[in-house]
Amino acid sequence: GAAPISSVKCSPAGCPEKSQYQGTHPRIHKKLYGEKRKMMFKVITVKIEHSKDVLHFKTKETDLKPNDSVIIESLLGEEIGRVVKAFGQVFNEIKNISDIPEILRKATDHDLENFGKKTVDEQKAYEFCLKKIQEREIPIKLIKVSFFTSERKAIFYFSSEGRIDFRDLVKDLAK
């Protein structure tokens, strides 16, 4: 006779529903967990706005297309990026989908306004720092300034030929 429902199992290779039911046959899964299925992701490539980096991200957003702005997590907090390409759901079955970072959200008008202000603040800080470097005649080359999005902290990137004592410059910048 037929096996009782509670003992029907399938493997991802032998089940027509693949791994969506985590090895449990669809009839049992439906009985135990309802209709909930595994979340499908779309993999996209995103160019980070203030760098040259183009990275892969996953998203649950279904309406993202090239040139849409998205918010991602970075070491400096949230960053804005632009979608370069969307691959659809073809990557959902790869083993390491969990290792691909997920976008935080599609950028809103408020996000775009805040990142515009951040860019202006970074430019002002760059010009102020450059002025102080020239006043103190410090032999360094200022490369860029990056503000954290969640705090009022900044990172000043510079290069120099050798070791430089820039403690006084740090005091100027902290004011």
Side-chain angles (χ1 to χ4, degrees):
I5 275 191
S6 62
S7 67
V8 177
K9 294 279 184 182
C10 61
S11 69
C15 178
E17 296 295 326
K18 301 236 185 254
S19 62
Q20 291 182 357
Y21 293 98
Q22 302 166 346
T24 307
H25 195 274
R27 291 184 298 165
I28 296 171
H29 189 279
K30 186 175 179 181
K31 183 177 179 182
L32 295 176
Y33 306 107
E35 290 292 330
K36 188 175 181 182
R37 292 178 178 244
K38 185 173 95 175
M39 176 51 71
M40 299 298 271
F41 290 104
K42 181 159 99 173
V43 175
I44 58 176
T45 52
V46 175
K47 181 192 176 296
I48 312 307
E49 283 292 317
H50 296 290
S51 75
K52 305 294 184 230
D53 295 335
V54 177
L55 305 170
H56 286 94
F57 288 87
K58 65 185 175 191
T59 180
K60 296 172 192 163
E61 299 272 344
T62 56
D63 64 340
L64 287 177
K65 54 193 175 304
N67 291 321
D68 282 349
S69 294
V70 294
I71 305 299
I72 58 148
E73 188 71 34
S74 78
L75 296 174
L76 299 177
E78 294 180 350
E79 287 292 326
I80 195 162
R82 195 160 303 277
V83 175
V84 176
K85 185 175 183 179
F87 295 101
Q89 296 181 350
V90 295
F91 287 98
N92 277 308
E93 298 303 319
I94 64 172
K95 279 185 180 178
N96 299 336
I97 189 81
S98 61
D99 294 340
I100 299 173
E102 189 171 349
I103 67 163
L104 297 176
R105 65 186 173 277
K106 188 173 181 176
T108 63
D109 290 340
H110 181 71
D111 291 325
L112 297 173
E113 183 180 318
N114 285 343
F115 279 97
K117 287 178 185 175
K118 180 180 169 243
T119 302
V120 169
D121 289 346
E122 288 170 343
Q123 184 60 39
K124 286 179 183 176
Y126 181 91
E127 291 167 5
F128 178 79
C129 184
L130 200 58
K131 179 180 154 195
K132 293 298 180 182
I133 288 169
Q134 291 166 348
E135 284 176 8
R136 294 189 175 278
E137 298 177 355
I138 303 171
I140 62 175
K141 179 182 178 194
L142 182 61
I143 298 169
K144 74 175 188 174
V145 178
S146 295
F147 277 103
F148 286 77
T149 51
S150 57
E151 308 169 44
R152 279 308 280 176
K153 292 183 181 179
I155 298 176
F156 292 81
Y157 298 88
F158 68 89
S159 66
S160 68
E161 293 289 321
R163 292 178 57 92
I164 302 293
D165 181 4
F166 54 89
R167 289 178 287 189
D168 290 334
L169 177 61
V170 171
K171 289 175 188 172
D172 289 342
L173 298 176
K175 290 180 183 177

